[in-house]
Amino acid sequence: MSFLIVFSLAAFVVSVLYYCVFALAIARRRNDVADIAWPMGFVLVSLISLFLTMNISIRYLMLMLLLTIWSARLGVHIFLRNKSKGEDWRYRNWRKKWGKWWEIKAYLNVFLLQSCLLMIISVPIIWTAAYAWKPLGLVDYLGVSIWFLGFLFESIADYQLFQFKKKASNKNKVLKTGLWRYSRHPNYFGELLVWWGVFMIALSAKDGLISIVGPLTITYLLTSVSGIPMLEKRYEGNAGYKKYQETTSSLIPLPPKL
């Protein structure tokens, strides 16, 4: 089955998923439930792609396993992070900004937009399912290695930040130890490696370079839109964070400046 058919059917199912999550957000009056749908959506895309293409190659089954591990870890992390807290500050600020039209604007700017971005980032997954049938090669192993390194970085960084924020004494303080000593956003660095690793696996497919749209999209989002810029803006005027910015790499882990 062609890429376009698989992509279209997967996009329809993902849109239904996000509409259901949007209904839950309206009922609970908290739009951050969209964060739980994000990792679930990629696993759903991989399952739909498997069903439609019947690609049971070692490569694709391995890719599905990697996606499932990534999704489960991120989903549990988001659940534990949010379960005893109010709505995430970003979504809360948007709700206030949107006023009485928050339901419509939330659907368009959060749920519909996220579902569209999810599908673009999923291009390497669908491309692998549709066109990658040859035996595993060196590029595949390189992709898995990059994915594994990214998964470790993201997991360790999220755990360190979670433990740091659990302590009331750390409120309004900046985490500067562990991986956060070498990068202000080591979790994002790990996330990017995960998706560039997935892309490397997709390179084994015919014309696989086309699927570079996936990692390029997530890289742009995290470095220029909703990731680093949004979080750093929150700390504007914080003297401690300004010093942290001056001594610590923004994304790629590097030795801190003296």
Side-chain angles (χ1 to χ4, degrees):
M1 188 171 290
S2 72
F3 168 83
L4 287 178
I5 294 176
V6 178
F7 183 90
S8 299
L9 292 175
F12 172 75
V13 175
V14 167
S15 68
V16 172
L17 167 67
Y18 267 89
Y19 188 82
C20 293
V21 175
F22 169 66
L24 178 63
I26 295 297
R28 298 191 60 189
R29 295 187 65 82
R30 54 182 301 169
N31 292 327
D32 58 358
V33 295
D35 291 344
I36 294 293
W38 181 257
M40 290 172 51
F42 291 103
V43 174
L44 186 59
V45 168
S46 71
L47 288 171
I48 294 169
S49 300
L50 174 67
F51 177 76
L52 294 176
T53 64
M54 295 305 294
N55 185 344
I56 55 173
S57 64
I58 294 177
R59 173 184 295 101
Y60 190 68
L61 294 179
M62 176 185 67
L63 178 57
M64 287 187 65
L65 175 62
L66 297 180
L67 289 168
T68 302
I69 293 172
W70 169 83
S71 174
R73 201 284 312 175
L74 183 57
V76 170
H77 170 71
I78 292 172
F79 174 77
L80 293 176
R81 183 189 66 189
N82 294 349
K83 71 172 185 176
S84 58
K85 294 169 52 180
E87 186 177 31
D88 183 278
W89 63 273
R90 292 166 294 184
Y91 294 98
R92 187 169 60 249
N93 289 344
W94 286 335
R95 184 193 302 279
K96 293 178 181 178
K97 179 181 177 181
W98 293 333
K100 65 178 182 179
W101 300 104
W102 74 267
E103 293 98 336
I104 296 175
K105 290 188 176 182
Y107 179 70
L108 296 175
N109 295 322
V110 176
F111 297 89
L112 181 60
L113 178 60
Q114 272 198 25
S115 66
C116 292
L117 292 173
L118 188 152
M119 289 308 304
I120 296 173
I121 297 168
S122 294
V123 167
I125 302 170
I126 302 172
W127 201 273
T128 302
Y131 301 125
W133 296 86
K134 61 184 181 182
L136 292 174
L138 180 61
V139 176
D140 296 293
Y141 296 123
L142 179 59
V144 173
S145 299
I146 293 173
W147 180 93
F148 185 71
L149 179 61
F151 182 77
L152 282 180
F153 251 93
E154 185 176 21
S155 301
I156 294 172
D158 279 343
Y159 177 77
Q160 290 174 342
L161 184 61
F162 180 75
Q163 293 299 318
F164 180 80
K165 288 188 172 183
K166 277 174 62 176
K167 298 181 180 179
S169 59
N170 289 329
K171 187 175 182 180
N172 297 323
K173 292 183 179 180
V174 179
L175 175 58
K176 301 178 182 178
T177 58
L179 294 179
W180 300 82
R181 170 177 167 80
Y182 306 99
S183 168
R184 302 199 303 273
H185 304 280
N187 51 344
Y188 287 163
F189 175 72
E191 178 77 355
L192 293 181
L193 286 184
V194 163
W195 289 107
W196 281 100
V198 170
F199 164 69
M200 292 295 292
I201 296 172
L203 277 178
S204 298
K206 178 183 177 182
D207 299 322
L209 188 59
I210 293 174
S211 65
I212 198 172
V213 64
L216 285 179
T217 298
I218 189 67
T219 300
Y220 175 70
L221 289 173
L222 291 183
T223 60
S224 303
V225 184
S226 63
I228 293 175
M230 185 177 294
L231 288 176
E232 302 248 316
K233 185 175 179 61
R234 190 185 187 192
Y235 289 97
E236 284 183 353
N238 184 314
Y241 196 81
K242 184 178 181 181
K243 179 63 176 178
Y244 183 51
Q245 287 178 309
E246 293 172 351
T247 60
T248 311
S249 169
S250 174
L251 182 66
I252 300 174
L254 296 171
K257 300 175 184 178
L258 300 178

